[in-house]
């Protein structure tokens, strides 16, 4: 059995995007991350900034509590429309050949449509906080608070559209602690696992 698609789910600041891109380079595969946003913008007509904020994150708490009632009053919401566009884009890209897809609920969307190696990348809060300060600089919001907020919103979005718990290790083939293992080792594990699964060994 050949595993054609690698999906990377990740905690904010864990380096999952970097790991996905490097694994794709090692395997000679296309990697879709920001490219998904570009495609969704083309299909939906929404600005990239709007899609980046709305198509992976929920406003934790009030949005999740009121989502169904708002949907009933307004019909399909912008977020629902973007979900349908996101699903079409991911299915189309996955149908074009082996690739790596970062985030965007790809693990769920492709669950019955492709043979996937599903990866979840995580790390301790202190390691992630240090990483986002190094990469993005210090901001007014404390890094730990920012991390927790991003993760909660991502989890709420995932729960709403998949009815699964984001980060539940039972939903993934590999769960990698990038803080303990390091970026390079995580890439090695993904590449080696993908090759073994693709060869049927």
């Amino acid at each position: 059995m050949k595993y054609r698609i690698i999906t990377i789910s990740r905690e904010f600041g864990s380096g999952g995007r970097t790991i996905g891109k490097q694994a794709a380079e090692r395997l000679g595969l296309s990697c879709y991350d920001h490219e998904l946003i570009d495609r969704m913008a083309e299909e939906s007509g929404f600005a990239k900034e709007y899609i980046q904020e709305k198509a992976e994150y929920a406003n934790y708490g009030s949005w999740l509590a009121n989502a169904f009632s708002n949907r009933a009053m307004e019909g399909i919401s912008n977020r629902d429309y973007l979900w349908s566009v996101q699903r079409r884009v991911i299915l189309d890209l996955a149908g074009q050949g082996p690739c790596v897809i970062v985030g965007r609920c790809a693990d769920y969307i492709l669950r019955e449509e492709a043979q996937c190696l599903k990866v979840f990348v995580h790390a301790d809060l202190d390691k992630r906080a240090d990483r986002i300060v190094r990469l993005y600089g210090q901001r007014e919001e404390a890094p730990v608070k920012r991390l927790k907020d991003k993760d909660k919103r991502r989890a709420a979005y995932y729960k709403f559209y998949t009815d699964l718990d984001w980060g539940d290790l039972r939903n993934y083939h590999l769960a990698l602690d990038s803080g303990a293992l390091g970026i390079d080792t995580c890439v090695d594990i993904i590449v080696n696992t993908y090759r073994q699964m693709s060869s049927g060994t």
Side-chain angles (χ1 to χ4, degrees):
M1 177 180 293
K2 293 190 177 298
Y3 283 70
R4 301 180 61 244
I5 311 296
I6 299 173
T7 63
I8 306 286
S9 302
R10 75 279 185 230
E11 290 182 332
F12 184 66
S14 66
R17 175 181 290 115
T18 299
I19 289 167
K21 287 185 176 298
Q22 291 186 13
E25 290 173 3
R26 289 264 303 274
L27 291 165
L29 304 179
S30 298
C31 182
Y32 301 111
D33 177 23
H34 292 303
E35 297 84 356
L36 293 174
I37 297 174
D38 293 340
R39 284 281 300 272
M40 291 171 66
E42 290 175 9
E43 290 202 20
S44 69
F46 287 116
K48 294 179 184 179
E49 295 78 13
Y50 182 84
I51 293 172
Q52 184 135 19
E53 179 65 16
K54 300 298 184 183
E56 193 170 24
Y57 296 101
N59 297 323
Y60 184 76
S62 60
W63 179 84
L64 189 60
N66 296 323
F68 285 108
S69 60
N70 289 343
R71 186 181 280 171
M73 289 185 295
E74 303 169 6
I76 187 170
S77 66
N78 284 348
R79 201 182 302 265
D80 289 338
Y81 174 63
L82 283 175
W83 168 260
S84 68
V85 172
Q86 175 174 284
R87 184 177 182 278
R88 287 199 305 272
V89 168
I90 288 173
L91 287 171
D92 179 59
L93 292 173
Q96 294 177 21
C99 62
V100 176
I101 301 179
V102 179
R104 310 288 161 188
C105 301
D107 57 312
Y108 177 82
I109 291 170
L110 296 174
R111 69 195 186 284
E112 296 177 353
E113 305 294 337
Q115 297 167 346
C116 296
L117 170 59
K118 297 181 288 186
V119 181
F120 186 79
V121 182
H122 62 99
D124 290 342
L125 272 173
D126 59 339
K127 297 285 182 64
R128 293 192 287 138
D130 177 69
R131 180 179 174 81
I132 65 170
V133 169
R134 284 189 288 108
L135 289 180
Y136 308 124
Q138 188 69 52
R139 301 189 181 183
E140 290 185 11
E141 186 180 20
V144 170
K145 182 179 184 300
R146 189 171 168 222
L147 288 168
K148 289 181 176 179
D149 177 66
K150 288 276 192 179
D151 285 347
K152 284 181 179 178
R153 293 171 61 202
R154 188 172 282 171
Y157 177 89
Y158 189 87
K159 180 69 173 180
F160 186 74
Y161 282 105
T162 72
D163 200 31
L164 297 174
D165 293 325
W166 176 78
D168 185 337
L169 302 187
R170 292 171 295 184
N171 297 326
Y172 308 95
H173 300 112
L174 294 175
L176 302 175
D177 184 338
S178 60
L181 297 172
I183 298 295
D184 291 342
T185 300
C186 289
V187 173
D188 287 342
I189 292 171
I190 292 170
V191 168
N192 291 335
T193 304
Y194 181 88
R195 285 173 174 163
Q196 289 173 3
M197 287 180 161
S198 295
S199 65
T201 59

